[in-house]
Amino acid sequence: VASAERAMAAANAQIGVATAAFYPSFVISPTVGVDSRMIETLFNGPSLLWSVGVSATQVLFDGGRIRANVDFAKAGYDATVGNYRRTVLTAMQEVEDGITGLSALDGATTQAQSAVAAARRVLDMATSRYEGGASTYLDVITAQQSLLTVERQAAQLQGQRLLTSVFLVKALGGDWCGADVAGAPANCPAPAADRTAKAD
């Protein structure tokens, strides 16, 4: 977003550059030299000559070239404005998608954890029934398979939740080096308060 904003500002400045061609250009040209009839007085103060001249130039007829350059610069600015709007809308969409996805995955993770707890209770009951001789070991194996399936689903949901969190952090323009992030990487710079304390 910041890059698109700066590109828009640069394109706006190009309009000013193109418009400046409508105005005359002024040139100040100073000259300095020495003049003397005798070589021994050539570099003395009275032999020094200087002058300053000002010249102005203005294009009288260019066949519409300047106007076309201005129109071209304005068209470039309009294109960068459109790109800036698209970038902002895309960033807002990514943030909204991340927030919505996290909300949905939180609910699904809660349900998956409940399913894991229920599958563990079923496995405990099947094991107790097998140990008591009320059922075969096939019931225990079936309960173990069910528990493994729901645990796998819970792990997949947790992985998706972490990926969505990273996606949301990226969409917000953040990083892992925040001052309040627990377990920040060792190569992250210390917070400003810590740096001030160490300097003191």
Side-chain angles (χ1 to χ4, degrees):
V1 173
S3 174
E5 182 183 2
R6 297 319 305 156
M8 185 175 62
N12 187 32
Q14 288 299 318
I15 296 176
V17 172
T19 305
F22 282 113
Y23 304 107
S25 59
F26 297 93
V27 177
I28 300 175
S29 52
T31 57
V32 177
V34 289
D35 182 26
S36 178
R37 292 183 182 182
M38 294 180 292
I39 192 73
E40 54 272 355
T41 60
L42 182 63
F43 296 103
N44 290 346
S47 300
L48 180 65
L49 300 174
W50 62 272
S51 66
V52 177
V54 179
S55 62
T57 57
Q58 172 67 44
V59 176
L60 298 178
F61 178 75
D62 63 357
R65 181 177 57 85
I66 297 176
R67 174 57 61 189
N69 287 341
V70 172
D71 292 341
F72 179 78
K74 287 181 179 179
Y77 173 73
D78 291 340
T80 56
V81 168
N83 183 53
Y84 174 73
R85 288 177 180 163
R86 180 185 58 79
T87 303
V88 170
L89 290 175
T90 301
M92 293 174 68
Q93 178 187 2
E94 288 176 353
V95 171
E96 183 65 27
D97 289 348
I99 292 173
T100 305
L102 273 181
S103 177
L105 287 171
D106 282 344
T109 301
T110 303
Q111 292 177 355
Q113 289 171 349
S114 299
V116 168
R120 283 182 181 150
R121 284 196 300 270
V122 170
L123 177 60
D124 290 342
M125 288 188 292
T127 303
S128 298
R129 285 173 53 85
Y130 170 73
E131 290 173 352
S135 65
T136 64
Y137 194 69
L138 181 62
D139 293 340
V140 177
I141 293 174
T142 303
Q144 288 175 340
Q145 288 177 338
S146 299
L147 176 60
L148 179 61
T149 300
V150 294
E151 283 179 341
R152 238 188 220 164
Q153 291 174 348
Q156 289 174 349
L157 286 172
Q158 181 65 16
Q160 290 177 355
R161 188 167 176 269
L162 293 174
L163 286 174
T164 305
S165 299
V166 172
F167 176 79
L168 180 59
V169 168
K170 178 185 174 187
L172 291 172
D175 55 22
W176 298 112
C177 295
D180 56 347
V181 176
N187 58 355
C188 291
D194 294 348
R195 289 197 299 268
T196 304
K198 289 178 182 177
D200 293 342

